[in-house]
Structures are given as structure tokens and as C-alpha cells.
Amino acid sequence: PVQVSGLTGVTAIAAGQGYALALKRNGTVWGWGTNQSAPVQVSGITGVVAVTTTGGHSLAVKDDGTVWAWGWNSWGQLGDGTTTNRWNPVRVSGLTGVVAAAAGNVHSLALKSDGTLWAWGGDDFGQLGGGITLDRPTPGQVGGVSGVAAVSAGIVHSLALKTDGTVWAWGANDVGQLGDGTTN
């Protein structure tokens, strides 16, 4: 291990494909990697309380409950209603009251303070939880799950931890990642 240069006061980190993010105590986000060998501040966003990233896009939850996204957007995973790549953060359409987010490979999830879960982006394997495989460039509520306390996104599957301690999964299951004893 080597210490990441120039970073202090960090409260959260997230690793993507060839890059990483750090959230500082002052609500700023810093990134490095993909030809940027030292951390630089992500422009256009402050007041951040949580960050997540994965293959090629990143999400930030702000202290006002909004979600902001940047990076690749070919499947609508930035949630701004387009499939245009964005190199600066843009607000995810229509979401407020968000307390946590998760970035999958080409899909995104947001957990609202009321325990509902919202999803958008690529849906080739049903990872958006809508019962059909239809890409969605803006957030839609995930049906069939409520009382959610935490959320996580895999490459092409999604997980929700409910307040009753149960875990729910949907999306790809080719290697048993849904944990239901099958590989369907």
C-alpha cells in the first residue's frame, strides 16, 4: 500500500474501474486515476454526504437529499433523461429525500429516507427490478420491496437490506449471485 498524496479529512472512499473517489469532511469530492495520477477536486459539486462509483460512472448524495451523477451514460445510468456522457456532475431527475446510492456497471440505485428504492440505467438482466428488461434513463421506483435500510449494486444485479434484517436480490443470477439456491 501507498498513501494517496494530498488527501486529509477523508470520510468515505469508492473505487471504480481505473479510478477512485474520496469524500472529504467538508463535503467536497476528489478523484484520481484514468491518467490523473494525483487527486483533483470534482468540480461543480459540494455538500456531499455519500459517494459511490463502479465501472464508468459515479454518484454523489448531497446533504439536501439530491443525487448527482457523472461519467459514462450510454444506458441512462446518470438518470438525467439522456444517454449523453457527462464529465461534470448533473442532477439525477426527480429524486429528493435520498440517503444512500449505489452504482452498478450500467445501472444506479437510490434509497430514499422513506425506505423506498429507486433505479435507473441499463436493465439487460432485470437489475432495475421492474419485472421487465427495459433500460430507463430516469429513476423509477423498485416495486415489491419497501422498508429498505441499505442498498448495494453489483455488475448486473442489485441488493436491498430491509429493516427487518432480510436481504432481497434481483437481476443476473448466472453464478448464483441472487443467493436463492439457483443459477437461473
Side-chain angles (χ1 to χ4, degrees):
V2 296
Q3 184 174 352
V4 176
S5 62
L7 283 179
T8 59
V10 173
T11 61
I13 54 175
Q17 185 174 333
Y19 65 95
L21 298 175
L23 172 60
K24 293 182 80 171
R25 191 174 298 115
N26 65 3
T28 60
V29 178
W30 295 71
W32 64 98
T34 311
N35 303 317
Q36 179 63 49
S37 62
V40 295
Q41 186 174 346
V42 175
S43 64
I45 190 165
T46 58
V48 175
V49 296
V51 293
T52 181
T53 192
T54 189
H57 75 288
S58 303
L59 303 172
V61 179
K62 290 184 62 171
D63 54 10
D64 64 0
T66 60
V67 180
W68 294 70
W70 63 99
W72 297 109
N73 195 29
S74 298
W75 291 269
Q77 62 264 44
L78 299 187
D80 67 346
T82 75
T83 54
T84 303
N85 298 332
R86 308 286 184 177
W87 308 127
N88 291 306
V90 294
R91 185 172 173 182
V92 174
S93 299
L95 281 180
T96 58
V98 174
V99 295
N105 190 47
V106 297
H107 75 292
S108 301
L109 304 169
L111 171 61
K112 294 180 75 170
S113 59
D114 64 3
T116 61
L117 192 57
W118 297 72
W120 62 96
D123 196 31
D124 289 349
F125 297 90
Q127 63 264 40
L128 299 185
I132 57 173
T133 54
L134 182 64
D135 296 349
R136 189 169 44 223
T138 57
Q141 188 172 350
V142 176
V145 64
S146 60
V148 177
V151 61
S152 185
I155 299 297
V156 286
H157 72 291
S158 302
L159 297 170
L161 169 63
K162 293 181 63 167
T163 54
D164 65 5
T166 61
V167 177
W168 295 71
W170 58 97
N173 194 35
D174 56 315
V175 292
Q177 58 266 54
L178 299 187
D180 65 352
T182 73
T183 55
N184 300 340

